Each structure stands twice: as structure tokens, then as C-alpha cells.
């Protein structure tokens, strides 16, 4: 997979996920297998204003090369300034633009998965990003559209190709679907047919390495983007590398090996957050994902999920049955799911798909992804 000057094998990308894909998690995934590993989504306004929290979020470990950074922005001028800052200050090697986030605090400002509906505004943003990127490749991630009545992915794909975007990732769901239902892999195939001149990456319902192979075979996409499937399972990237290299071996760690990874993950978060109690509080959401399918009593699960220090977490991990084998049938959905009744949009957003008006307070300092 070639994205500008970056060549990646296997053709695998770790999807940016808010509160998940910080340096601690990215390093663990990268150790398992190769690919591109993208940081959490950050806002362009916060970056250009040098918000201290944002600057901490874009810190990469020394071992991370290439460095992939995802931006959220709605104002073309602010997006251009942010990309120029990344290029001139060598903050990353690759810039990805988020047009796929479905959360209300993003879409109600016209950002994320709402934005491609405004075709000309999308074009202005992409033009500004590519013009200011220098030698850095600019990619974009998007969804099929707002809902089934407002699909945008084919128009958005053609605009991206015309404006010099290096690759497109499509999460094969609408914003209304959120993370529910089944991903429409056929839309990935249709996008690839529409823009054969640039790489198209498929995203959605990759719970195992074999799912990734099936997606490529079925859609003709150039690579895959893995999100929720790797939650609590950095080993998935070892499986993906093996699968794309024709190796049938799959990672099946014991509970003891999982416990060791959990300890490393929590310890890595203490470096990201600087304050240990914040890091351990952030790690709590990972406990259930790591232990999925294993036989662990409710009392011990609760102890691990409420630990207040790294030492407290280690004490709980030591109580696990370390020789318990990897449970069967765990290549199943992880993380949030379910559809939304409606997508939150700015007033009158659907009136004109061609206007270029930037919504009021569109560049407020929001987070999410």
C-alpha cells in the first residue's frame, strides 16, 4: 500500500479512536505487526492555538515511524494553518482528515460525517490541506453519508481525488447507523470503482484477520482500517500481518500473557497522562475488552475495573488464572454499537448541498472521534 511517499505492508491502518489510540496503545499495536497507526483525532483550532492538552495528545514515542496524525476541522483557513504547522514543525509524517465522526457534538457543528454533504466546503478544506502539506501525504476518512437518503461518499471520493488527496478510507456505515447494523462492504467496492486512481481503504466489521482478507477479496480495496476489532486485542495486528503474508498462524495468548499486556498498557498510560491516578482511571475502560471471553469472577473484574493505582492494578492482575487458555469465539463485535434515531446537524444544513458557509462556532474546541 503506497500513500504518497509512504509504503506500508501489510496494508493495515489502526483507526484513530478518541480516548483509545494514544501513544501507549499505538506502541503496543505496532510491536505486534506493521502498518500505519493513527493518533486520536485532534481539532485544528486547538492545534493552531497550541492548546497544551492538544500538544500532549500529539506526542509520539521515539519508536513510532511513520507518524500519522488525524485532524478535525470545518473552517478551510484553520485547517490549512494546522496542516502547515504540522509540515513546517515536523509534527507528523502523514495527515489524515476526519469526515467520519458521527458523535453529536461534532456533527451539530457541521463537522465529521456531516461535512461531506456540503460538497464545495469539502473541496475548499481538501484544497487548503493539500496546498499547505508540503511533502506530507494528506488522506481522508469518511462515512457513506448522513443517512440512506443523503449519501455522499461517491461525490466526496471524486472531489478528494481531484484535489490531490493521497488515499481515502471509507467506514461503510452512515452517520445515522453510528456503530450499529452491518457495514455495507459493497459501498467500498463502488468507491474503488469510482476513484481507481488512488488507494481506497475499507473500514467496518473487521473483527479478525480473516475478515480483512475477505473485505479485500470482496471489494478490491487497497487496504483495511481496523477500529473496534482491536480493543483489548493488540495481537490482532500480528494476525493481520500473518494473514496478508499467507501465514495461517493466529495469536492465542493465555490469560497470563493478556495480564502482562494490560500491565504494560496501564504503565504506558502513566507516561501519556503524567499523573498516575488519571492514567489508571483511563485504563478502566480497557479492562472488559482485555478480559472478554475469559472466566474471571465478578469480584475480581470489579477490583481490576476500579483500581486506583498501578500497584493496585498489578495486585489484581496477579490473582488471575494465568494459565487459562485463549477463549474460543472471541472474534466478535467489541465496543459501542447501536444506531441513532437522528443525526444532529446545524439548522438548515440539508437545505443546500453546495453552499460554503462555515457554521457558527464550527471551530470550537471539541473532541471526539
Amino acid at each position: 500500500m503506497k500513500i504518497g511517499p509512504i509504503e506500508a505492508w501489510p496494508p493495515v491502518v489502526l483507526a484513530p479512536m478518541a480516548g483509545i489510540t494514544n501513544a501507549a496503545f499505538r506502541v503496543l499495536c505496532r510491536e505486534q505487526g506493521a502498518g500505519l497507526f493513527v493518533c486520536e483525532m485532534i481539532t485544528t483550532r486547538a492545534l493552531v492555538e497550541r492548546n497544551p492538552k492538544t500538544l500532549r495528545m500529539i506526542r509520539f514515542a521515539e519508536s513510532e515511524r511513520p507518524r500519522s496524525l488525524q485532524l478535525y476541522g470545518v473552517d478551510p483557513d484553520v485547517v490549512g494553518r494546522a496542516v502547515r504547522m504540522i509540515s513546517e514543525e515536523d509534527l507528523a509524517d502523514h495527515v489524515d482528515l476526519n469526515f467520519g465522526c458521527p458523535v453529536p457534538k461534532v456533527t451539530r457543528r457541521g463537522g465529521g460525517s456531516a461535512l461531506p454533504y456540503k460538497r464545495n466546503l469539502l473541496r475548499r478544506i481538501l484544497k487548503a490541506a493539500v496546498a499547505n502539506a508540503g511533502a506530507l501525504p494528506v488522506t481522508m476518512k469518511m462515512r457513506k453519508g448522513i443517512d440512506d437518503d443523503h449519501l455522499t461518499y461517491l461525490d466526496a471520493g471524486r472531489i478528494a481525488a481531484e484535489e490531490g488527496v493521497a488515499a481515502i478510507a471509507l467506514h461503510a456505515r452512515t452517520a445515522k447507523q453510528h456503530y450499529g447494523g452491518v457495514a455495507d462492504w459493497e459501498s467500498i467496492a463502488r468507491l474503488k470503482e469510482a476513484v481507481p486512481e488512488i488507494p481506497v481503504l475499507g473500514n467496518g466489521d473487521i473483527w479478525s484477520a480473516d475478515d480483512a482478507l475477505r473485505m479485500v477479496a470482496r471489494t478490491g480495496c487497497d487496504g483495511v482500517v481496523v477500529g473496534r476489532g482491536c480493543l483489548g486485542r493488540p495481537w490482532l495486528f500480528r494476525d493481520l500481518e500473518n494473514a496478508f503474508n499467507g501465514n495461517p498462524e493466529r495469536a492465542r495468548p493465555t490469560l497470563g500473557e493478556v495480564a502482562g499486556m494490560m500491565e504494560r498498557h496501564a504503565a504506558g498510560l502513566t507516561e501519556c497522562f503524567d499523573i498516575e491516578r488519571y492514567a489508571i482511571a483511563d485504563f478502566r475502560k480497557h479492562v472488559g475488552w482485555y478480559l472478554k471471553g475469559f472466566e474471571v469472577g465478578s469480584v475480581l473484574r470489579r477490583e481490576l475495573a476500579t483500581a486506583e493505582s498501578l500497584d493496585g492494578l498489578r495486585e489484581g492482575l496477579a490473582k488471575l488464572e494465568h494459565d487459562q487458555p485463549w477463549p474460543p469465539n472471541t472474534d466478535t463485535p467489541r465496543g459501542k454499537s447501536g444506531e441513532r434515531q437522528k443525526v444532529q446537524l446545524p439548522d438548515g444544513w440539508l437545505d443546500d448541498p453546495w453552499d460554503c458557509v462555515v457554521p457558527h462556532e464550527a471551530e470550537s474546541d471539541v473532541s471526539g472521534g
Side-chain angles (χ1 to χ4, degrees):
M1 181 175 65
K2 189 170 175 61
I3 298 177
I6 297 173
E7 294 187 8
W9 184 264
V12 173
V13 177
L14 167 64
M17 292 180 281
I20 304 292
T21 56
N22 45 43
F25 187 66
R26 294 194 309 268
V27 166
L28 296 180
C29 293
R30 189 185 291 267
E31 288 177 355
Q32 298 298 313
L36 294 179
F37 300 84
V38 189
C39 78
E40 301 175 76
M41 181 184 86
I42 65 167
T43 68
T44 51
R45 176 183 169 185
L47 181 62
V48 299
E49 292 181 354
R50 299 184 184 274
N51 178 286
K53 178 182 176 181
T54 298
L55 295 179
R56 287 196 300 272
M57 289 174 66
I58 65 171
R59 290 188 301 195
F60 291 89
E62 289 189 8
S63 62
E64 293 191 81
R65 288 292 188 279
R67 301 160 298 167
S68 297
L69 190 158
Q70 191 187 66
L71 295 177
Y72 156 84
V74 179
D75 187 317
D77 293 334
V78 180
V79 172
R81 289 165 58 197
V83 174
R84 187 186 318 121
M85 177 178 168
I86 293 167
S87 176
E88 292 179 349
E89 299 183 21
D90 190 28
L91 300 179
D93 306 302
H94 158 223
V95 175
D96 186 52
L97 299 178
N98 182 301
F99 300 112
C101 180
V103 302
K105 63 183 175 181
V106 169
T107 59
R108 72 165 61 103
R109 291 185 168 94
S113 53
L115 197 142
Y117 184 75
K118 301 292 190 181
R119 275 71 164 177
N120 288 334
L121 180 57
L122 174 68
R123 186 182 293 277
R124 286 182 57 204
I125 291 173
L126 297 178
K127 187 184 295 290
V130 172
N132 285 279
L136 302 185
V138 175
T139 61
M140 63 181 279
K141 186 181 179 189
M142 62 180 179
R143 286 183 174 237
K144 289 172 57 182
I146 293 172
D147 54 35
D148 287 338
D149 295 324
H150 301 89
L151 298 177
T152 56
Y153 69 103
L154 294 178
D155 283 350
R158 285 187 282 265
I159 291 169
E162 291 166 3
E163 295 303 330
V165 169
I168 306 170
L170 176 63
H171 184 161
R173 287 181 170 87
T174 63
K176 184 176 183 297
Q177 281 184 278
H178 204 60
Y179 296 97
V182 177
D184 174 22
W185 287 6
E186 297 309 312
S187 64
I188 300 170
R190 288 191 289 271
L191 179 61
K192 182 58 188 175
E193 291 173 358
V195 288
E197 63 269 38
I198 61 175
V200 169
L201 313 179
N203 177 217
D205 293 353
I206 295 178
W207 311 113
S208 71
D210 294 323
D211 289 337
L213 296 184
R214 281 191 290 271
M215 176 185 280
V216 172
R218 186 182 303 177
T219 69
C221 66
D222 301 281
V224 299
V225 179
V226 179
R228 294 174 296 150
C230 69
L231 295 176
R233 204 163 50 142
W235 300 273
L236 180 56
F237 290 93
R238 188 193 316 171
D239 290 351
L240 287 161
E241 183 162 350
N242 283 340
F244 278 103
N245 286 326
N247 183 343
E249 182 181 350
R250 301 291 181 263
R252 295 294 183 262
T254 64
L255 183 53
E257 291 171 312
V258 172
M261 187 68 76
M262 293 172 72
E263 180 180 356
R264 290 191 58 209
H265 191 166
L269 287 173
T270 63
E271 298 179 13
C272 290
F273 284 83
D274 297 327
I275 299 176
E276 183 176 311
R277 68 177 184 276
Y278 293 164
I280 301 305
D282 185 78
F283 180 73
R284 291 171 183 167
K285 62 176 173 280
H286 295 274
V287 171
W289 296 327
Y290 274 111
L291 298 181
K292 182 173 181 177
F294 285 104
E295 295 182 4
V296 180
S298 59
V299 173
L300 181 51
R301 282 180 181 268
R302 191 177 307 113
E303 178 182 341
L304 292 167
T306 57
E308 297 183 353
S309 67
L310 190 55
D311 284 343
L313 179 68
R314 286 169 174 151
E315 290 175 7
L317 293 173
K319 299 176 185 178
L320 292 170
E321 183 186 345
H322 281 207
D323 59 354
Q324 187 178 146
W326 180 260
N329 304 317
T330 55
D331 293 339
T332 55
R334 293 164 174 254
K336 51 193 171 184
S337 61
E339 298 193 10
R340 296 292 173 93
Q341 290 188 339
K342 64 178 296 186
V343 181
Q344 299 293 323
L345 300 169
D347 291 341
W349 189 251
L350 298 178
D351 293 348
D352 183 357
W354 302 104
D355 74 53
C356 290
V357 177
V358 177
H360 179 61
E361 294 187 342
E363 287 291 337
S364 294
D365 185 9
V366 297
S367 62

